[in-house]
Amino acid sequence: MHVNGNATSAHQNVALLSLATTLADRITTSAEIESRLGATLKRLRLPTGLLQRVAGITERRNWAEGQSFETAAIAAGEKALAEAGIDASEVGLLINTSVTRKHLEPSVAVRMHHGLGLPSSAINFDLANACLGFVNGMSLAAQLIDSGAVRYAMIINGEDADEIQDNTIERLNRPGIGRKEFMSEFASLTLGSGAAAALLGPADLHASGHRILGGVTRAATQFNDLCVGSVNGMYTDAKALLKGGMELVVAAWQEAKKDWDWSSMDRYILHQVSSIHTDAIVKAAGLDRTKVPVTYPQYGNVGPASIPITLSREAATLSPGDRVLLMGVGSGLNTAMMEIAW
């Protein structure tokens, strides 16, 4: 597969200053979800333990009473500011990358901007690109910091899987649903809730920051109809999606070799989808499996928050100078890879 495009970026003076997460308090096991689908599984003669066996997901998080994706994201943002030692008044840009939204207008970013007490001068908007949004947001913010347009930027994300899962389970329990329809909505049952925030700033002012070196993005938008979702449900051609995604990853990986050598990173932080997806990327790119941490068994697919949540949990095991590659494939299809010098 030939991929065209020139979306390769190299950053001169940008660092990841802090990364914070807010995890949802309520744990929903795959066994609980399958128990709600018991009659359908029996009627379709599908085995129990399907989510764990096929996707490798044992449980996922959902927001508890009193929690919401917006307040959780704001809490993560507050932690990120505190950890970086940066006052909210110094932030010049906030990019919200959440897939979850309660309404079309206004943007989700305005609630987060207000909740964090950011100044009137801080640019704020939503950036939507399925599961790649957070990495895309980091790349865009890094370019603006390099240009001198802003000094500090926050990338923020909050996801809520409750509504889509409830709607999906209700629909899959209808009498007329067949095996094909069931499997086309299977991915909705793997989703989880969570929130994350990252603060970026100029590397020369923060010696302890983690340098964002750059990366690549590539598109294969001929596959735009393989995974289509809303709060009502997400419909996926899993086989074609995996095949197209792996072709795109390999093509982007090969093209990136002209500018980047990612064959021996200290850690590969992948977007967390499932065991099948992770194993396919590891094989396609020839990654060292011992350097690919996974969080999907406990958290499921938390959309754009998956990469920052996984990186946050892995941060304690990283040492200064370690090379870290963020990698993901998002519905559409798009892929992004970004190197960070820890």
Side-chain angles (χ1 to χ4, degrees):
M1 178 174 130
H2 180 67
V3 181
N4 293 313
N6 60 351
T8 299
S9 59
H11 305 299
Q12 306 305 313
N13 186 37
V14 185
L16 171 64
L17 307 184
S18 61
L19 181 63
T21 64
T22 306
L23 299 178
D25 287 344
R26 181 162 53 94
I27 295 175
T28 304
T29 66
S30 292
E32 288 176 62
I33 287 181
E34 290 186 2
S35 71
R36 294 174 63 186
L37 290 164
T40 298
L41 291 171
K42 185 177 181 180
R43 180 174 60 80
L44 297 178
R45 297 181 180 177
L46 290 169
T48 56
L50 202 60
L51 279 161
Q52 187 166 348
R53 186 159 54 251
V54 174
I57 295 173
T58 304
E59 58 190 36
R60 77 281 294 132
R61 299 294 186 98
N62 294 96
W63 301 116
E65 190 71 29
Q67 291 184 306
S68 74
F69 79 96
E70 290 175 328
T71 58
I74 291 167
E78 291 171 339
K79 284 189 283 185
L81 289 170
E83 288 176 14
I86 300 298
D87 191 81
S89 63
E90 298 184 73
V91 176
L93 170 67
L94 178 139
I95 303 177
N96 165 63
T97 66
S98 307
V99 171
T100 299
R101 59 183 58 248
K102 293 179 180 177
H103 35 63
L104 293 176
E105 290 189 62
S107 69
V108 179
V110 297
R111 299 283 180 90
M112 297 180 182
H113 181 283
H114 176 68
L116 288 165
L118 300 188
S120 175
S121 57
I123 306 161
N124 62 96
F125 54 83
D126 291 349
L127 184 160
N129 195 20
C131 295
L132 287 185
F134 204 93
V135 177
N136 292 151
M138 290 176 67
S139 180
L140 176 58
Q143 292 170 26
L144 290 171
I145 291 169
D146 266 339
S147 75
V150 299
R151 178 171 289 182
Y152 296 106
M154 179 174 290
I155 315 305
I156 197 165
N157 184 272
E159 301 300 339
D160 188 343
D162 270 30
E163 188 172 4
I164 186 172
Q165 283 184 344
D166 288 341
N167 289 340
T168 299
I169 290 170
E170 187 275 330
R171 186 166 45 254
L172 292 179
N173 276 327
R174 293 174 184 171
I177 293 292
R179 275 196 178 211
K180 183 178 180 181
E181 290 88 351
F182 186 96
M183 294 313 297
S184 75
E185 297 199 56
F186 183 79
S188 301
L189 306 177
T190 70
L191 300 176
S193 304
L199 191 70
L200 277 58
D204 58 2
L205 298 182
H206 299 273
S208 61
H210 313 297
R211 287 289 297 268
I212 298 176
L213 302 182
V216 302
T217 62
R218 291 293 186 271
T221 53
Q222 66 269 32
F223 300 121
N224 65 80
D225 61 350
L226 296 183
C227 181
V228 179
S230 70
V231 293
N232 293 319
M234 184 166 68
Y235 301 88
T236 303
D237 183 339
K239 187 175 181 180
L241 189 69
L242 185 64
K243 182 176 183 293
M246 291 312 103
E247 288 177 356
L248 180 60
V249 165
V250 170
W253 184 271
Q254 293 300 326
E255 284 202 358
K257 286 182 177 180
K258 291 179 290 186
D259 303 295
W260 306 92
D261 178 11
W262 291 326
S263 60
S264 57
M265 306 298 286
D266 295 290
R267 211 74 89 247
Y268 297 93
I269 306 297
L270 307 186
H271 168 54
Q272 303 290 302
V273 179
S274 67
S275 54
I276 293 174
H277 179 273
T278 300
D279 292 344
I281 286 189
V282 167
K283 182 179 179 180
L287 308 183
D288 181 343
R289 191 66 176 79
T290 65
K291 296 179 179 179
V292 182
V294 297
T295 55
Y296 62 79
Q298 295 80 36
Y299 301 119
N301 179 351
V302 199
S306 286
I307 284 178
I309 285 174
T310 305
L311 178 59
S312 177
R313 291 187 65 80
E314 197 68 9
T317 71
L318 295 170
S319 302
D322 279 353
R323 299 178 67 200
V324 179
L325 187 67
L326 312 185
M327 296 177 65
V329 179
S331 303
L333 286 167
N334 285 291
T335 189
M337 303 171 190
M338 171 183 281
E339 182 176 348
I340 300 175
W342 207 257

